[in-house]
Amino acid sequence: MEYAFTDVDGQDGILLSGRCTYEDGPRFHAMLGDWNFTARPVVPLDLRFVTFIDSAAIGMLFILANRCREANGHIVAIGASPHIVKSLRRAALDPYIQFR
């Protein structure tokens, strides 16, 4: 997984790309540490370049969703391919992520 803080749909957001797997845990937690949830509780997340997501990475998105929720926000997932959306919906992330 690679990530970058960038403009996503006209707002500060996070671009994820590549394969999102268990090995990305340290990088993912570093990313969370660099995001100011108090100032930006709604996290635009560009997923159009994510090619694969495993259960551990889905768990990481639950962590992100919880951090957003604690700050009265949520995740806005943009551009995810159908197979990624299907995986996230099967994991019951729908209440925490707004898909666009």
Side-chain angles (χ1 to χ4, degrees):
M1 172 189 89
E2 296 299 322
Y3 75 88
F5 296 108
T6 188
D7 179 81
V8 176
D9 207 27
Q11 301 176 38
D12 290 338
I14 302 170
L15 170 70
L16 296 182
S17 62
R19 295 174 54 85
C20 298
T21 68
Y22 172 81
E23 287 95 24
D24 299 311
R27 191 172 315 131
F28 183 84
H29 289 287
M31 178 187 75
L32 292 182
D34 291 336
W35 186 265
N36 183 343
F37 288 93
T38 304
R40 296 176 301 208
V42 175
V43 178
L45 194 59
D46 187 337
L47 300 176
R48 65 190 147 137
F49 299 116
V50 172
T51 58
F52 174 82
I53 189 164
D54 72 7
S55 60
I58 289 171
M60 291 180 237
L61 289 181
F62 271 110
I63 293 168
L64 174 58
N66 285 332
R67 295 284 302 274
C68 291
R69 200 174 63 207
E70 289 168 359
N72 295 314
H74 60 279
I75 300 169
V76 178
I78 298 165
S81 65
H83 74 279
I84 298 297
V85 171
K86 185 176 180 180
S87 295
L88 298 177
R89 288 198 163 132
R90 277 194 178 148
L93 272 164
D94 287 61
Y96 311 104
I97 298 178
Q98 177 184 25
F99 293 98
R100 289 192 191 160

